[in-house]
């Protein structure tokens, strides 16, 4: 299978490229046309592709002319829509990095373009592929936890330092709220596929990094149509020298008890002469996600989480920003 | 000077902790409880049961009010009029007006009033606050507190008219903590899932502090098998402090069937009990006229936050604390 990578703007692209390079059934070619526009010192372009060991072409047109079966779009969030539209127009299936887009119109345009073109659109929510999440979802959906009442989640990370655009609202669609609300929002939708997010109240501040234009801390409260309430801490609150990038925690509060999910918790702890050691050994969720994407494409079925799942998570983010701007709860508008 | 006598009013859950605490500290204790349970309590721990509030006030130098919340004001005012220093279980009262009246009554009578916000004496929380005060993480930007326990069994707790509900009774601990580490609260927004018909109640509150800090407080009254579990995360520009009460146990059992206890109150060791440390701090402040780690004003602020959270639950909107005055709807109830 021929798989293209559009842009190294999102550093997840490096991990995806490495996974694809190691798959004997995949040929991988990347393009990173906007690399020159990124600040000096940020990795990218042909040099990065060669260091990973995947093919490289200079433009998206060249990449699509190579006739890939599928592409992974890892450009800046605000550029997803154009890249996805171009791939769809070329009849190529798409896995798009999260958040799906920075505006509702863009997200709608992407989903519509893929539907029109008859190509599959998947959203990159790798945490869904945690085996223990599947167990938890099974317990919830079979009623073994009793009625679920509420969710408390935290997805915290460092301020993404290796790419400046993450903290540039024009390219990222915001800051921590855009970056880190969607994973937990998606996990909650995964537990309750029939529920809608109805109302969002969110607060945010810039206190962790006042020099950045984007908000670096945020709390997002959500009311769902099934009566479930949730709060997500989406802050970039993990210190720069923390031994790992951050983590994700999800507490599910139910009549039958409480479940705590920490997909990135598995590690060996240690300490070197100077600093803590944190040797993660959990399953490679990115690899599992790419496996679902490529398997679905080859089987001719919708990969999950879908583009529509990305759309629903984005609806929560957009309502959160509306709430932050207005200082009061905002209704969630279906895109 | 002889050791003062403590008059403990009430013989419910918290009295089972305060009575042994006072006795450990060397105080004589007399206990009165309107429900007639005082003799059973003193039978367990010591002290002397008395038959009336008058008898208690005749004997006691310090009155410790450990009764249902809706009775606090009347008992505190009576103790103050009798010239007794007062320790009052949290929450001080169900309303801002009652809390203010209690403070005023104690000021008029020239006696001290200490609301028992015991979490300030839990070492992990004290260590966090001390590190924040020392500037080790910078001004907190975002804080999370959670508090999970089995729902209290006594029905009055779940009757919001009597206990103020989970926000007033349980989450008030973390409202006080949030304010202790990040300063006064400007506004709150809250959601609730579960009610008197469910085994579990979960409330989320989002606090905005005047400092700009944002805080998430999650309170859960769970089913009867749920372990007592609390924790926090405080993140500032210079660092992160995290705690989980179930991590890093000093003693842990495996394969022991009766070891895991569900609970409404946290398990504590008598020798290092935060409850005893709290009572000792109050007793010292009364003795030397100095300040304690928690003041009546702190208790009033915590009540004000909890009242605002309850109003947010009713009105589904963010509530500004300035709007919580003596004449609020909540206070007229």
């Amino acid at each position: 299978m021929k798989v293209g990578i559009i842009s190294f703007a999102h550093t997840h692209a490096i991990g995806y490229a490495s996974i694809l390079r190691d798959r004997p059934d995949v040929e991988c070619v990347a393009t990173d046309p906007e690399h020159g526009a990124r600040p000096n010192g940020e990795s990218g372009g042909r040099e990065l592709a060669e260091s990973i060991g995947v093919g490289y072409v200079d433009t998206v047109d060249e990449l699509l002319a190579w006739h890939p079966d599928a592409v992974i779009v890892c450009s800046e969030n605000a550029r997803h829509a154009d890249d996805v539209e171009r791939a769809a127009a070329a009849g190529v299936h798409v896995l798009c990095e999260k958040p799906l887009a920075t505006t509702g119109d863009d997200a709608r345009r992407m989903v519509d373009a893929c539907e029109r073109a008859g190509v599959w659109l998947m959203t990159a929510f790798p945490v869904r592929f945690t085996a223990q999440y599947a167990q938890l979802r099974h317990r919830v959906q079979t009623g073994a936890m009793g009625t679920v009442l509420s969710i408390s989640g935290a997805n915290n990370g460092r301020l993404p330092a290796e790419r400046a655009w993450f903290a540039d609202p024009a390219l990222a669609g915001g800051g921590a709220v855009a970056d880190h609300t969607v994973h937990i929002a998606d996990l909650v939708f995964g537990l309750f596929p029939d529920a809608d997010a109805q109302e969002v109240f969110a607060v945010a501040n810039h206190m962790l990094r006042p020099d950045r234009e984007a908000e670096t801390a945020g709390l997002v409260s959500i009311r769902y149509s099934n009566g479930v309430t949730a709060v997500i801490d989406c802050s970039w609150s993990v210190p720069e020298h923390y031994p790992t990038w951050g983590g994700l925690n999800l507490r599910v509060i139910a009549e039958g008890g409480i479940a705590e999910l920490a997909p990135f918790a598995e590690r060996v702890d240690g300490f070197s002469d100077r600093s803590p050691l944190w040797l993660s050994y959990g399953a490679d969720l990115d690899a599992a996600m790419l496996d679902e994407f490529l398997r679905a494409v080859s089987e001719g079925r919708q990969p999950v989480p879908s583009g529509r799942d990305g759309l629903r998570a984005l609806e929560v983010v957009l309502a959160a920003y509306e709430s932050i701007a207005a200082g009061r709860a905002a209704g969630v508008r279906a895109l | 000077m002889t050791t003062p006598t403590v008059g403990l009013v009430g013989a419910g859950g918290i009295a089972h902790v305060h009575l042994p605490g006072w006795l450990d500290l060397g105080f004589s204790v007399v206990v009165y409880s309107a429900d007639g349970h005082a003799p059973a309590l003193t039978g367990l721990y010591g002290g002397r049961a008395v038959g009336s509030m008058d008898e208690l006030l005749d004997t006691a130098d310090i009155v410790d009010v450990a009764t249902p919340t809706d009775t606090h004001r009347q008992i505190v005012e009576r103790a103050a009029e009798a010239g007794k220093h007062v320790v009052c279980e949290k929450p001080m009262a169900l309303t801002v007006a009652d809390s203010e009246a209690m403070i005023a009554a104690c000021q008029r009578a020239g006696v001290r009033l200490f609301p028992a916000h015991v979490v300030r004496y839990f070492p992990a929380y004290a260590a966090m606050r001390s590190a924040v005060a020392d500037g080790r993480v910078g001004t907190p930007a975002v804080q999370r507190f959670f508090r999970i326990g089995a729902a209290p069994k006594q029905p009055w707790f779940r009757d919001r008219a009597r206990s103020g509900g989970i926000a007033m009774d349980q989450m008030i601990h973390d409202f006080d903590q949030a304010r202790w580490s990040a300063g006064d609260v400007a506004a709150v927004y809250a959601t609730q899932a579960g009610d008197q018909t469910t085994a579990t109640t979960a409330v989320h509150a989002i606090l905005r502090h005047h400092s700009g800090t944002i805080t998430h407080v999650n309170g859960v009254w769970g089913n009867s098998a749920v372990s007592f579990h609390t924790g926090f995360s405080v993140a500032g520009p210079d660092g992160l402090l995290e705690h989980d009460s179930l991590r890093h146990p000093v003693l842990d059992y495996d394969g022991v069937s009766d070891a895991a206890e569900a609970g409404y109150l946290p398990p504590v060791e008598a020798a290092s009990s935060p409850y005893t440390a709290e009572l000792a701090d109050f007793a010292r402040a009364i003795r030397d006229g100095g300040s304690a780690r928690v003041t009546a004003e702190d208790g009033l602020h915590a009540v004000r936050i909890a009242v605002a959270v309850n109003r947010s639950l009713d009105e589904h909107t963010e509530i500004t604390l300035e709007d919580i005055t003596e004449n609020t709807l909540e206070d007229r109830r």
Side-chain angles (χ1 to χ4, degrees), chain A residues 107-327:
Chain A
R108 191 69 254 174
R109 182 152 68 90
M110 294 159 69
V111 170
D112 289 347
C114 290
E115 280 175 6
R116 246 192 340 267
V119 300
W120 302 119
L121 175 60
M122 179 182 188
T123 311
F125 289 133
V127 194
R128 275 240 202 172
F129 295 88
T130 309
Q132 294 85 346
Y133 171 72
Q135 292 170 19
L136 172 63
R137 185 172 54 190
H138 181 73
R139 281 189 83 90
V140 166
Q141 294 182 346
T142 57
M145 295 274 299
T147 304
V148 173
L149 297 171
S150 193
I151 306 272
S152 183
N155 184 192
N156 300 138
R158 298 186 189 119
L159 178 88
E162 63 278 15
R163 291 287 188 265
W165 69 264
F166 275 101
D168 176 356
L171 287 171
V177 172
D179 190 36
H180 270 180
T181 303
V182 289
H183 286 294
I184 292 174
D186 178 63
L187 294 177
V188 176
F189 283 128
L191 293 178
F192 316 113
D194 299 328
D196 293 315
Q198 292 185 316
E199 192 175 66
V200 171
F201 176 83
V203 295
N205 68 41
H206 295 65
M207 295 170 72
L208 290 163
R209 289 295 295 269
D211 56 321
R212 300 301 173 115
E213 196 185 333
E215 80 284 350
T216 44
L219 297 170
V220 179
S221 169
I222 309 162
R223 296 178 197 269
Y224 293 88
S225 57
N226 59 353
V228 167
T229 58
V231 168
I232 300 170
D233 176 355
C234 57
S235 306
W236 286 331
S237 51
V238 171
E240 197 181 335
H241 298 290
Y242 199 70
T244 188
W245 61 271
L248 185 151
N249 295 279
L250 188 75
R251 175 180 304 126
V252 176
I253 301 154
E255 287 280 76
I258 294 167
E260 308 242 2
L261 178 75
F264 303 100
E266 290 174 305
R267 81 256 190 191
V268 172
D269 289 314
F271 207 92
S272 72
D273 273 357
R274 282 174 202 83
S275 59
L277 297 173
W278 178 301
L279 313 180
S280 291
Y281 60 82
D284 186 337
L285 303 180
D286 286 350
M289 178 179 74
L290 293 186
D291 199 54
E292 159 67 6
F293 178 53
L294 300 182
R295 201 181 287 268
V297 164
S298 66
E299 291 171 0
R301 62 171 173 83
Q302 170 68 59
V304 178
S306 65
R308 192 164 291 277
D309 290 325
L311 204 66
R312 299 186 86 194
L314 181 65
E315 289 168 358
V316 172
V317 170
L318 296 176
Y321 280 116
E322 193 182 323
S323 170
I324 289 165

Side-chain angles (χ1 to χ4, degrees), chain B residues 155-219:
Chain B
W156 72 268
F157 279 103
R158 299 194 73 162
D159 177 357
R160 205 168 109 184
R162 295 206 70 195
S163 73
I166 186 171
M168 183 63 84
D169 191 72
Q170 188 238 40
M171 297 169 74
I172 196 165
H173 284 299
D174 293 308
F175 299 152
D176 180 56
Q177 292 305 305
R179 189 179 153 265
W180 203 29
S181 51
D184 281 343
V185 172
V188 304
Y189 175 87
T191 61
Q192 175 163 343
D195 55 29
Q196 296 190 18
T197 68
T198 57
T200 299
T201 306
V203 169
H204 293 285
I206 291 177
L207 281 47
R208 296 192 214 234
H209 299 253
H210 289 293
S211 57
T213 309
I214 52 178
T215 298
H216 172 212
V217 179
N218 181 204

Side-chain angles (χ1 to χ4, degrees), chain B:
Chain B
M1 183 181 146
T2 56
T3 306
T5 297
V6 172
L8 176 62
V9 188
I14 200 67
H16 283 261
V17 181
H18 281 200
L19 175 55
W22 288 117
L23 293 171
D24 275 357
L25 293 169
F27 288 88
S28 304
V29 184
V30 294
V31 183
Y32 168 70
S33 185
D35 60 12
H37 291 162
L41 186 75
T42 53
L44 281 175
Y45 305 102
R48 183 168 62 86
V50 295
S52 72
M53 193 63 199
D54 284 335
E55 201 180 334
L56 180 139
L57 291 173
D58 281 346
T59 318
D61 306 289
I62 299 169
V63 173
D64 179 358
V65 181
T67 54
T69 310
D70 57 343
T71 65
H72 285 180
R73 174 177 172 177
Q74 180 227 334
I75 297 169
V76 168
E77 285 179 341
R78 203 166 154 200
E81 279 162 26
K84 314 298 181 185
H85 299 295
V86 181
V87 171
C88 181
E89 179 53 14
K90 48 52 57 183
M92 273 174 72
L94 293 175
T95 67
V96 170
D98 281 352
S99 307
E100 287 175 341
M102 291 156 69
I103 291 172
C106 290
Q107 277 172 348
R108 265 196 315 275
V111 298
R112 310 286 301 274
L113 171 60
F114 299 103
H117 281 281
V118 71
V119 179
R120 291 192 182 209
Y121 297 87
F122 275 69
Y125 290 81
M128 178 274 281
R129 198 276 175 170
S130 166
V132 171
D134 290 346
R136 294 180 68 176
V137 301
T139 303
V142 54
Q143 311 186 111
R144 294 198 305 270
F145 294 88
F146 69 87
R147 187 163 297 269
I148 298 167
K153 293 189 182 74
Q154 299 91 326
W156 72 268
F157 279 103
R158 299 194 73 162
D159 177 357
R160 205 168 109 184
R162 295 206 70 195
S163 73
I166 186 171
M168 183 63 84
D169 191 72
Q170 188 238 40
M171 297 169 74
I172 196 165
H173 284 299
D174 293 308
F175 299 152
D176 180 56
Q177 292 305 305
R179 189 179 153 265
W180 203 29
S181 51
D184 281 343
V185 172
V188 304
Y189 175 87
T191 61
Q192 175 163 343
D195 55 29
Q196 296 190 18
T197 68
T198 57
T200 299
T201 306
V203 169
H204 293 285
I206 291 177
L207 281 47
R208 296 192 214 234
H209 299 253
H210 289 293
S211 57
T213 309
I214 52 178
T215 298
H216 172 212
V217 179
N218 181 204
V220 179
W221 274 343
N223 69 39
S224 59
V226 162
S227 305
F228 192 88
H229 186 189
T230 74
F232 59 75
S233 161
V234 175
D238 301 324
L240 171 68
L241 295 166
E242 292 184 301
H243 176 68
D244 183 318
S245 64
L246 296 184
R247 268 189 234 152
H248 316 308
V250 173
L251 175 63
D252 210 359
Y253 292 105
D254 186 20
V256 179
S257 60
D258 62 348
E261 284 177 40
Y264 167 70
L265 291 174
V268 294
E269 293 297 320
S272 58
S273 163
Y275 296 93
T276 307
E278 168 193 57
L279 299 177
D281 190 37
F282 294 159
R284 184 203 41 74
I286 289 169
R287 194 169 56 242
D288 66 17
S291 56
R293 197 177 292 180
V294 57
T295 68
E297 286 295 320
D298 293 326
L300 168 64
H301 277 285
V303 167
R304 195 187 299 274
I305 296 168
V307 167
V309 165
N310 276 337
R311 201 201 284 186
S312 179
L313 292 177
D314 289 339
E315 299 183 9
H316 283 217
T317 185
E318 189 176 34
I319 302 295
T320 303
L321 259 71
E322 282 175 5
D323 295 340
I324 304 296
T325 63
E326 285 182 48
N327 298 315
T328 60
L329 272 177
E330 187 77 27
D331 280 4
R332 284 202 295 272
R333 267 182 204 157

